[in-house]
mmCIF file of all heavy atoms in Angstrom:
data_model
loop_
_atom_site.group_PDB
_atom_site.id
_atom_site.type_symbol
_atom_site.label_atom_id
_atom_site.label_comp_id
_atom_site.label_asym_id
_atom_site.label_seq_id
_atom_site.Cartn_x
_atom_site.Cartn_y
_atom_site.Cartn_z
ATOM 1 N N LYS Q 1 88.821 208.259 85.263
ATOM 2 C CA LYS Q 1 89.341 208.050 86.614
ATOM 3 C C LYS Q 1 90.255 206.837 86.612
ATOM 4 O O LYS Q 1 89.983 205.847 85.931
ATOM 5 C CB LYS Q 1 88.198 207.835 87.609
ATOM 6 C CG LYS Q 1 87.259 209.017 87.788
ATOM 7 C CD LYS Q 1 86.120 208.621 88.729
ATOM 8 C CE LYS Q 1 85.141 209.785 88.902
ATOM 9 N NZ LYS Q 1 84.005 209.407 89.791
ATOM 10 N N ILE Q 2 91.341 206.884 87.382
ATOM 11 C CA ILE Q 2 92.262 205.736 87.497
ATOM 12 C C ILE Q 2 91.676 204.807 88.548
ATOM 13 O O ILE Q 2 91.883 204.984 89.750
ATOM 14 C CB ILE Q 2 93.684 206.189 87.868
ATOM 15 C CG1 ILE Q 2 94.150 207.317 86.953
ATOM 16 C CG2 ILE Q 2 94.636 205.014 87.800
ATOM 17 C CD1 ILE Q 2 94.142 206.987 85.486
ATOM 18 N N CYS Q 3 90.934 203.813 88.047
ATOM 19 C CA CYS Q 3 90.200 202.963 88.962
ATOM 20 C C CYS Q 3 89.683 201.766 88.180
ATOM 21 O O CYS Q 3 88.730 201.879 87.427
ATOM 22 C CB CYS Q 3 89.017 203.763 89.566
ATOM 23 S SG CYS Q 3 87.971 202.866 90.661
ATOM 24 N N SER Q 4 90.348 200.613 88.335
ATOM 25 C CA SER Q 4 89.979 199.409 87.573
ATOM 26 C C SER Q 4 90.111 198.224 88.498
ATOM 27 O O SER Q 4 90.455 198.361 89.653
ATOM 28 C CB SER Q 4 90.887 199.252 86.365
ATOM 29 O OG SER Q 4 92.207 198.887 86.798
ATOM 30 N N ARG Q 5 89.884 197.014 87.949
ATOM 31 C CA ARG Q 5 90.041 195.839 88.805
ATOM 32 C C ARG Q 5 91.503 195.609 89.138
ATOM 33 O O ARG Q 5 91.830 194.775 89.973
ATOM 34 C CB ARG Q 5 89.410 194.612 88.179
ATOM 35 C CG ARG Q 5 90.062 194.106 86.917
ATOM 36 C CD ARG Q 5 89.409 192.772 86.528
ATOM 37 N NE ARG Q 5 89.599 192.430 85.140
ATOM 38 C CZ ARG Q 5 88.794 191.626 84.464
ATOM 39 N NH1 ARG Q 5 87.766 191.052 85.050
ATOM 40 N NH2 ARG Q 5 89.029 191.327 83.219
ATOM 41 N N SER Q 6 92.409 196.328 88.484
ATOM 42 C CA SER Q 6 93.823 196.222 88.854
ATOM 43 C C SER Q 6 94.168 197.060 90.071
ATOM 44 O O SER Q 6 95.227 196.867 90.645
ATOM 45 C CB SER Q 6 94.688 196.700 87.673
ATOM 46 O OG SER Q 6 94.592 195.819 86.589
ATOM 47 N N GLY Q 7 93.319 198.015 90.424
ATOM 48 C CA GLY Q 7 93.605 198.829 91.596
ATOM 49 C C GLY Q 7 93.154 200.267 91.411
ATOM 50 O O GLY Q 7 92.633 200.632 90.363
ATOM 51 N N ASN Q 8 93.364 201.074 92.444
ATOM 52 C CA ASN Q 8 92.938 202.480 92.419
ATOM 53 C C ASN Q 8 94.107 203.388 92.065
ATOM 54 O O ASN Q 8 95.210 202.937 91.782
ATOM 55 C CB ASN Q 8 92.309 202.870 93.752
ATOM 56 C CG ASN Q 8 93.292 202.720 94.911
ATOM 57 O OD1 ASN Q 8 94.513 202.864 94.778
ATOM 58 N ND2 ASN Q 8 92.748 202.423 96.108
ATOM 59 N N GLU Q 9 93.859 204.688 92.074
ATOM 60 C CA GLU Q 9 94.898 205.628 91.643
ATOM 61 C C GLU Q 9 96.124 205.604 92.533
ATOM 62 O O GLU Q 9 97.264 205.700 92.040
ATOM 63 C CB GLU Q 9 94.328 207.059 91.564
ATOM 64 C CG GLU Q 9 95.369 208.061 91.083
ATOM 65 C CD GLU Q 9 94.775 209.375 90.607
ATOM 66 O OE1 GLU Q 9 93.610 209.425 90.212
ATOM 67 O OE2 GLU Q 9 95.524 210.372 90.653
ATOM 68 N N GLU Q 10 95.936 205.495 93.818
ATOM 69 C CA GLU Q 10 97.110 205.472 94.715
ATOM 70 C C GLU Q 10 97.964 204.241 94.442
ATOM 71 O O GLU Q 10 99.212 204.327 94.478
ATOM 72 C CB GLU Q 10 96.648 205.514 96.175
ATOM 73 C CG GLU Q 10 96.097 206.873 96.608
ATOM 74 C CD GLU Q 10 97.053 207.998 96.276
ATOM 75 O OE1 GLU Q 10 98.220 207.912 96.677
ATOM 76 O OE2 GLU Q 10 96.629 208.994 95.616
ATOM 77 N N GLN Q 11 97.333 203.097 94.202
ATOM 78 C CA GLN Q 11 98.108 201.899 93.900
ATOM 79 C C GLN Q 11 98.814 202.014 92.551
ATOM 80 O O GLN Q 11 99.943 201.567 92.390
ATOM 81 C CB GLN Q 11 97.153 200.685 93.914
ATOM 82 C CG GLN Q 11 96.650 200.332 95.293
ATOM 83 C CD GLN Q 11 95.523 199.309 95.240
ATOM 84 O OE1 GLN Q 11 94.612 199.411 94.446
ATOM 85 N NE2 GLN Q 11 95.599 198.310 96.132
ATOM 86 N N PHE Q 12 98.160 202.643 91.575
ATOM 87 C CA PHE Q 12 98.779 202.887 90.278
ATOM 88 C C PHE Q 12 100.007 203.788 90.422
ATOM 89 O O PHE Q 12 101.081 203.509 89.888
ATOM 90 C CB PHE Q 12 97.775 203.504 89.318
ATOM 91 C CG PHE Q 12 98.318 203.730 87.929
ATOM 92 C CD1 PHE Q 12 98.330 202.696 86.997
ATOM 93 C CD2 PHE Q 12 98.816 204.963 87.561
ATOM 94 C CE1 PHE Q 12 98.848 202.901 85.725
ATOM 95 C CE2 PHE Q 12 99.348 205.178 86.278
ATOM 96 C CZ PHE Q 12 99.346 204.150 85.361
ATOM 97 N N LYS Q 13 99.841 204.873 91.181
ATOM 98 C CA LYS Q 13 100.976 205.786 91.420
ATOM 99 C C LYS Q 13 102.146 205.060 92.079
ATOM 100 O O LYS Q 13 103.307 205.271 91.717
ATOM 101 C CB LYS Q 13 100.539 206.953 92.294
ATOM 102 C CG LYS Q 13 99.675 207.982 91.597
ATOM 103 C CD LYS Q 13 99.266 209.086 92.584
ATOM 104 C CE LYS Q 13 98.460 210.174 91.890
ATOM 105 N NZ LYS Q 13 98.027 211.221 92.857
ATOM 106 N N ASP Q 14 101.822 204.219 93.048
ATOM 107 C CA ASP Q 14 102.872 203.462 93.760
ATOM 108 C C ASP Q 14 103.617 202.546 92.806
ATOM 109 O O ASP Q 14 104.851 202.446 92.854
ATOM 110 C CB ASP Q 14 102.223 202.673 94.908
ATOM 111 C CG ASP Q 14 103.240 201.846 95.660
ATOM 112 O OD1 ASP Q 14 104.150 202.421 96.268
ATOM 113 O OD2 ASP Q 14 103.140 200.599 95.618
ATOM 114 N N MET Q 15 102.876 201.861 91.936
ATOM 115 C CA MET Q 15 103.526 200.972 90.957
ATOM 116 C C MET Q 15 104.449 201.731 90.033
ATOM 117 O O MET Q 15 105.598 201.342 89.814
ATOM 118 C CB MET Q 15 102.472 200.233 90.142
ATOM 119 C CG MET Q 15 103.047 199.352 89.042
ATOM 120 S SD MET Q 15 101.834 198.737 87.849
ATOM 121 C CE MET Q 15 101.419 200.263 86.991
ATOM 122 N N VAL Q 16 103.934 202.860 89.479
ATOM 123 C CA VAL Q 16 104.745 203.651 88.540
ATOM 124 C C VAL Q 16 106.001 204.170 89.227
ATOM 125 O O VAL Q 16 107.106 204.113 88.669
ATOM 126 C CB VAL Q 16 103.913 204.810 87.964
ATOM 127 C CG1 VAL Q 16 104.775 205.735 87.132
ATOM 128 C CG2 VAL Q 16 102.747 204.272 87.120
ATOM 129 N N LYS Q 17 105.869 204.633 90.442
ATOM 130 C CA LYS Q 17 107.012 205.151 91.175
ATOM 131 C C LYS Q 17 108.046 204.052 91.427
ATOM 132 O O LYS Q 17 109.261 204.262 91.174
ATOM 133 C CB LYS Q 17 106.551 205.754 92.518
ATOM 134 C CG LYS Q 17 107.686 206.303 93.371
ATOM 135 C CD LYS Q 17 107.153 206.885 94.694
ATOM 136 C CE LYS Q 17 108.281 207.408 95.567
ATOM 137 N NZ LYS Q 17 107.762 207.970 96.837
ATOM 138 N N ARG Q 18 107.602 202.907 91.913
ATOM 139 C CA ARG Q 18 108.511 201.825 92.211
ATOM 140 C C ARG Q 18 109.218 201.321 90.931
ATOM 141 O O ARG Q 18 110.431 201.028 90.950
ATOM 142 C CB ARG Q 18 107.803 200.662 92.909
ATOM 143 C CG ARG Q 18 107.445 200.987 94.355
ATOM 144 C CD ARG Q 18 106.845 199.790 95.080
ATOM 145 N NE ARG Q 18 105.546 199.409 94.542
ATOM 146 C CZ ARG Q 18 105.283 198.256 93.931
ATOM 147 N NH1 ARG Q 18 106.274 197.353 93.787
ATOM 148 N NH2 ARG Q 18 104.099 197.980 93.463
ATOM 149 N N CYS Q 19 108.461 201.249 89.856
ATOM 150 C CA CYS Q 19 109.076 200.786 88.590
ATOM 151 C C CYS Q 19 110.092 201.793 88.068
ATOM 152 O O CYS Q 19 111.214 201.452 87.705
ATOM 153 C CB CYS Q 19 107.972 200.542 87.538
ATOM 154 S SG CYS Q 19 107.002 199.063 87.849
ATOM 155 N N ASN Q 20 109.717 203.087 88.041
ATOM 156 C CA ASN Q 20 110.634 204.095 87.558
ATOM 157 C C ASN Q 20 111.923 204.143 88.394
ATOM 158 O O ASN Q 20 112.998 204.366 87.867
ATOM 159 C CB ASN Q 20 109.966 205.480 87.575
ATOM 160 C CG ASN Q 20 109.142 205.738 86.312
ATOM 161 O OD1 ASN Q 20 109.476 205.249 85.255
ATOM 162 N ND2 ASN Q 20 108.092 206.522 86.448
ATOM 163 N N ASN Q 21 111.781 203.932 89.703
ATOM 164 C CA ASN Q 21 112.952 204.017 90.578
ATOM 165 C C ASN Q 21 113.969 202.925 90.320
ATOM 166 O O ASN Q 21 115.121 203.049 90.695
ATOM 167 C CB ASN Q 21 112.502 203.976 92.044
ATOM 168 C CG ASN Q 21 111.893 205.296 92.499
ATOM 169 O OD1 ASN Q 21 112.033 206.339 91.867
ATOM 170 N ND2 ASN Q 21 111.217 205.240 93.652
ATOM 171 N N VAL Q 22 113.544 201.805 89.682
ATOM 172 C CA VAL Q 22 114.492 200.750 89.327
ATOM 173 C C VAL Q 22 114.699 200.653 87.837
ATOM 174 O O VAL Q 22 115.175 199.626 87.315
ATOM 175 C CB VAL Q 22 114.058 199.379 89.915
ATOM 176 C CG1 VAL Q 22 114.106 199.411 91.439
ATOM 177 C CG2 VAL Q 22 112.657 198.986 89.431
ATOM 178 N N GLY Q 23 114.327 201.735 87.103
ATOM 179 C CA GLY Q 23 114.625 201.793 85.663
ATOM 180 C C GLY Q 23 113.659 201.065 84.780
ATOM 181 O O GLY Q 23 113.966 200.787 83.600
ATOM 182 N N VAL Q 24 112.481 200.685 85.295
ATOM 183 C CA VAL Q 24 111.457 200.035 84.460
ATOM 184 C C VAL Q 24 110.418 201.096 84.115
ATOM 185 O O VAL Q 24 109.767 201.637 84.999
ATOM 186 C CB VAL Q 24 110.794 198.856 85.208
ATOM 187 C CG1 VAL Q 24 109.669 198.259 84.367
ATOM 188 C CG2 VAL Q 24 111.830 197.794 85.528
ATOM 189 N N ARG Q 25 110.266 201.360 82.816
ATOM 190 C CA ARG Q 25 109.343 202.406 82.368
ATOM 191 C C ARG Q 25 107.964 201.824 82.066
ATOM 192 O O ARG Q 25 107.854 200.685 81.571
ATOM 193 C CB ARG Q 25 109.895 203.118 81.122
ATOM 194 C CG ARG Q 25 111.301 203.654 81.277
ATOM 195 C CD ARG Q 25 111.448 204.527 82.500
ATOM 196 N NE ARG Q 25 112.777 205.141 82.594
ATOM 197 C CZ ARG Q 25 113.308 205.521 83.749
ATOM 198 N NH1 ARG Q 25 112.683 205.349 84.892
ATOM 199 N NH2 ARG Q 25 114.505 206.093 83.764
ATOM 200 N N ILE Q 26 106.914 202.601 82.336
ATOM 201 C CA ILE Q 26 105.546 202.141 82.170
ATOM 202 C C ILE Q 26 104.907 202.872 80.984
ATOM 203 O O ILE Q 26 104.992 204.101 80.883
ATOM 204 C CB ILE Q 26 104.707 202.443 83.442
ATOM 205 C CG1 ILE Q 26 105.291 201.701 84.657
ATOM 206 C CG2 ILE Q 26 103.245 202.056 83.224
ATOM 207 C CD1 ILE Q 26 105.173 200.192 84.604
ATOM 208 N N TYR Q 27 104.273 202.108 80.082
ATOM 209 C CA TYR Q 27 103.398 202.770 79.134
ATOM 210 C C TYR Q 27 101.989 202.184 79.305
ATOM 211 O O TYR Q 27 101.812 201.062 79.746
ATOM 212 C CB TYR Q 27 103.898 202.678 77.689
ATOM 213 C CG TYR Q 27 103.782 201.342 77.027
ATOM 214 C CD1 TYR Q 27 102.587 200.926 76.441
ATOM 215 C CD2 TYR Q 27 104.864 200.459 76.987
ATOM 216 C CE1 TYR Q 27 102.487 199.665 75.823
ATOM 217 C CE2 TYR Q 27 104.759 199.211 76.365
ATOM 218 C CZ TYR Q 27 103.552 198.829 75.811
ATOM 219 O OH TYR Q 27 103.441 197.599 75.218
ATOM 220 N N VAL Q 28 101.004 202.997 78.938
ATOM 221 C CA VAL Q 28 99.603 202.710 79.249
ATOM 222 C C VAL Q 28 98.854 202.452 77.915
ATOM 223 O O VAL Q 28 99.017 203.167 76.946
ATOM 224 C CB VAL Q 28 98.986 203.891 80.017
ATOM 225 C CG1 VAL Q 28 97.447 203.842 79.944
ATOM 226 C CG2 VAL Q 28 99.459 203.881 81.443
ATOM 227 N N ASP Q 29 97.973 201.457 77.965
ATOM 228 C CA ASP Q 29 97.068 201.181 76.861
ATOM 229 C C ASP Q 29 95.943 202.226 76.955
ATOM 230 O O ASP Q 29 95.100 202.173 77.862
ATOM 231 C CB ASP Q 29 96.532 199.776 77.017
ATOM 232 C CG ASP Q 29 95.895 199.227 75.738
ATOM 233 O OD1 ASP Q 29 95.695 200.021 74.794
ATOM 234 O OD2 ASP Q 29 95.638 198.009 75.690
ATOM 235 N N ALA Q 30 95.939 203.188 76.031
ATOM 236 C CA ALA Q 30 95.006 204.310 76.083
ATOM 237 C C ALA Q 30 93.805 204.041 75.163
ATOM 238 O O ALA Q 30 93.950 203.995 73.952
ATOM 239 C CB ALA Q 30 95.717 205.600 75.666
ATOM 240 N N VAL Q 31 92.656 203.867 75.775
ATOM 241 C CA VAL Q 31 91.391 203.616 75.047
ATOM 242 C C VAL Q 31 90.647 204.928 74.930
ATOM 243 O O VAL Q 31 89.937 205.311 75.855
ATOM 244 C CB VAL Q 31 90.553 202.536 75.722
ATOM 245 C CG1 VAL Q 31 89.342 202.191 74.879
ATOM 246 C CG2 VAL Q 31 91.378 201.292 75.967
#
């Protein structure tokens, strides 16, 4: 589940969307 002390899934989606919209790409540390 996307849910950590950094935030929940909706907040994660919002960050990814805002970053992609200004050309900043996100990669995830996959454990």
Side-chain angles (χ1 to χ4, degrees):
K1 296 177 182 178
I2 310 303
C3 178
S4 70
R5 67 173 160 203
S6 293
N8 60 30
E9 181 163 335
E10 288 308 308
Q11 291 170 315
F12 182 83
K13 286 179 176 177
D14 178 63
M15 176 192 70
V16 173
K17 179 180 179 181
R18 287 185 294 115
C19 287
N20 276 329
N21 285 345
V22 294
V24 176
R25 306 309 184 205
I26 300 292
Y27 73 83
V28 162
D29 197 348
V31 185

